[in-house]
Amino acid sequence: MEVFFHIEYVIYIIICCLIRYRIKKHRSTFFFIINIFFFFRFFGSEWMIVNVAYFMIVAFHYFSCIHLNSEKFFSKYWSFFIPVLFLILLTFFPVSWYKHFSFLLPKIPISNPVIFFTGFSYMAFRLTSAAIEIKCGRVNKISFIDFMSFAFFVPTGLIGPINPISNYISSFNNKMYDFSDILGFILRILYGSTKILFLGTIFQKMSFDSFLFDGLPHHYIDLYISGIFFYVYLYINFSGFCDIVIGTSGLIGIKVSENFENPLVARNIKEFWNRWHLTLSHFLRDTLFTHVTLLLTRYFGTKYINHIISFSILLVFLLIGLWHGTKLNYLLFGLAHAFGMITHHYYTLLIKKYISKEKINKYNKSLFIRIISTVITFSYVVFTMILFGNDISKLLNFLIIIR
């Protein structure tokens, strides 16, 4: 994450702006070269052969998207092989894989394994999203250079957002923004930096490790309070980095999708996921939830559609839990959100079945109901963040220190 505050990142932004503003001939080629160089400078290995292999894998993905796009089963789904491979490596061979199994491989010098392997996940999401858009015809013609520039675009290389390739191509090909927009992009960068460096630091100091594990006994309310601070810290920190990404991408002239919409005021768990990590939510909805639901509906029929939706929800959130890590607490985090979403799904069906539309509209417009539902949702998310922010050993320690 410190990449965004490094002088080399500033140099990268300046070079990209010069390319976008001043160079007309072979602009795409220069943009491609700069992004490849700085991507591996920030996120790659110190061994050139590892970076070349990484590049060749993504290049093969481009070939599979463009040239293996027939209706035959093998060709039809081959373009998803590379993204799935990246996700498998990330999920089942996380950072500990590099540490514990390095004796089986040459000593590959990776300066920051966390950044290297986290980059796998977002690369997998970008490649999968690109494959879907190309197959659906949202992107008609895309050159190898433009595709690779999109895949290795530095600002979104580490933490997203998962920007659609159609969004990238349209903004790259269109006319640059007006100079009046520059101030807005700079303010967005400063806003994100302030959230990370100042506000995030304050809330982090009041979260679990700093607040609860101080050697003193604590009440149950302290666990809830520290959960609130951890939740707000995650939101401030993650959204702050997204502000920097959106702002710096805007300076370059690339439009990047928004990733947050004030999730702290969500009135139910479904609305929370429509406000939290938006690009991940939309990505999993389009790539997994919709396809699984349609597939099972064809097999079992519409009679079981509500149960099929519940199963698809469970599958999505199990994947979200595993994506964050293979530890049990991440799985519990995914299950907790699956339980909340499935409960909300059946609760909505129950209301529609027994309450008239007029009463439902009155119910939705009620300020009292809005406040109560928001508080309940906020508290439930805080509970899930307690699971997310602590492994099983820490969760068991809470039973000792909390009285």
Side-chain angles (χ1 to χ4, degrees):
M1 302 297 186
E2 64 272 8
V3 166
F4 296 111
F5 301 102
H6 200 281
I7 185 63
E8 290 187 31
Y9 188 71
V10 178
I11 295 173
Y12 161 79
I13 298 300
I14 293 173
I15 294 175
C16 286
C17 288
L18 290 175
I19 292 173
R20 294 280 282 139
Y21 274 119
R22 298 299 181 186
I23 298 179
K24 294 183 179 180
K25 191 176 182 181
H26 305 301
R27 184 179 65 180
S28 296
T29 303
F30 284 109
F31 198 70
F32 159 75
I33 294 172
I34 290 301
N35 275 281
I36 293 296
F37 173 80
F38 279 98
F39 183 92
F40 289 113
R41 174 71 176 172
F42 294 142
F43 312 133
S45 166
E46 295 173 13
W47 275 17
M48 181 59 68
I49 189 171
V50 176
N51 297 332
V52 170
Y54 198 166
F55 179 89
M56 293 301 295
I57 289 172
V58 179
F60 178 77
H61 177 75
Y62 167 80
F63 173 80
S64 66
C65 287
I66 301 300
H67 299 290
L68 297 179
N69 196 15
S70 69
E71 290 301 318
K72 295 181 180 180
F73 181 85
F74 180 79
S75 298
K76 186 177 181 181
Y77 294 101
W78 178 251
S79 57
F80 295 99
F81 170 74
I82 300 301
V84 170
L85 175 64
F86 276 4
L87 286 177
I88 290 174
L89 285 174
L90 178 80
T91 301
F92 296 102
F93 300 93
V95 177
S96 57
W97 170 81
Y98 174 76
K99 297 177 180 178
H100 298 310
F101 294 92
S102 58
F103 67 90
L104 297 175
L105 301 167
K107 298 294 184 180
I108 301 175
I110 299 176
S111 57
N112 194 325
V114 175
I115 288 179
F116 186 80
F117 285 100
T118 302
F120 269 6
S121 67
Y122 282 102
M123 178 63 77
F125 291 151
R126 284 196 299 278
L127 297 184
T128 305
S129 175
I132 291 174
E133 289 201 276
I134 291 172
K135 287 183 178 297
C136 293
R138 297 173 192 168
V139 179
N140 294 323
K141 293 182 179 180
I142 180 170
S143 67
F144 174 77
I145 288 178
D146 287 338
F147 182 89
M148 299 301 280
S149 297
F150 159 77
F152 291 100
F153 185 55
V154 171
T156 58
L158 180 60
I159 60 169
I162 307 169
N163 200 36
I165 191 171
S166 57
N167 210 20
Y168 173 89
I169 295 299
S170 62
S171 58
F172 186 83
N173 292 333
N174 289 341
K175 186 180 74 171
M176 289 287 287
Y177 49 80
D178 296 328
F179 282 98
S180 60
D181 297 330
I182 296 178
L183 179 60
F185 295 134
I186 294 175
L187 291 176
R188 187 73 182 266
I189 296 170
L190 293 175
Y191 178 57
S193 301
T194 301
K195 289 200 292 187
I196 295 167
L197 298 176
F198 299 101
L199 296 178
T201 303
I202 294 173
F203 281 93
Q204 185 183 27
K205 289 181 178 179
M206 293 298 292
S207 60
F208 306 113
D209 290 338
S210 303
F211 184 54
L212 292 180
F213 295 102
D214 55 3
L216 300 174
H218 289 273
H219 192 270
Y220 285 104
I221 192 65
D222 292 341
L223 178 60
Y224 178 72
I225 292 172
S226 62
I228 292 175
F229 278 99
F230 180 74
Y231 173 26
V232 177
Y233 159 71
L234 276 186
Y235 169 58
I236 289 175
N237 201 57
F238 194 9
S239 65
F241 280 114
C242 289
D243 289 331
I244 294 175
V245 168
I246 293 171
T248 54
S249 299
L251 287 176
I252 297 172
I254 302 297
K255 182 181 178 181
V256 173
S257 302
E258 294 289 341
N259 216 19
F260 291 91
E261 192 178 333
N262 198 4
L264 303 178
V265 299
R267 68 178 293 165
N268 55 61
I269 198 69
K270 181 180 179 180
E271 186 176 312
F272 168 80
W273 281 102
N274 285 330
R275 294 171 174 267
W276 176 276
H277 209 332
L278 291 170
T279 56
L280 177 63
S281 300
H282 296 164
F283 172 82
L284 291 175
R285 179 197 64 195
D286 296 339
T287 58
L288 183 61
F289 176 82
T290 301
H291 291 285
V292 170
T293 302
L294 290 175
L295 179 65
L296 294 179
T297 302
R298 291 194 194 104
Y299 186 80
F300 293 102
T302 57
K303 179 181 178 180
Y304 301 101
I305 183 63
N306 292 319
H307 303 314
I308 291 172
I309 290 174
S310 298
F311 176 80
S312 299
I313 290 172
L314 176 63
L315 194 62
V316 166
F317 283 99
L318 283 176
L319 179 61
I320 287 177
L322 289 173
W323 175 65
H324 285 96
T326 54
K327 293 182 179 180
L328 181 58
N329 63 303
Y330 293 123
L331 180 62
L332 294 175
F333 169 80
L335 288 173
H337 275 277
F339 174 78
M341 286 287 285
I342 292 171
T343 301
H344 174 266
H345 171 63
Y346 285 113
Y347 175 71
T348 303
L349 294 174
L350 194 65
I351 288 179
K352 291 181 178 180
K353 183 176 180 180
Y354 293 103
I355 300 179
S356 64
K357 290 184 179 181
E358 293 181 0
K359 291 184 178 180
I360 290 176
N361 291 332
K362 187 177 180 180
Y363 171 84
N364 290 330
K365 293 178 180 179
S366 171
L367 179 60
F368 176 76
I369 296 296
R370 172 75 191 189
I371 294 174
I372 294 298
S373 59
T374 301
V375 171
I376 293 174
T377 302
F378 183 86
S379 299
Y380 187 79
V381 174
V382 167
F383 162 73
T384 66
M385 291 301 175
I386 294 173
L387 299 175
F388 182 84
N390 302 278
D391 57 27
I392 297 301
S393 61
K394 286 185 178 181
L395 292 173
L396 294 176
N397 284 336
F398 289 151
L399 300 177
I400 300 174
I401 64 178
I402 293 177
R403 301 173 183 175

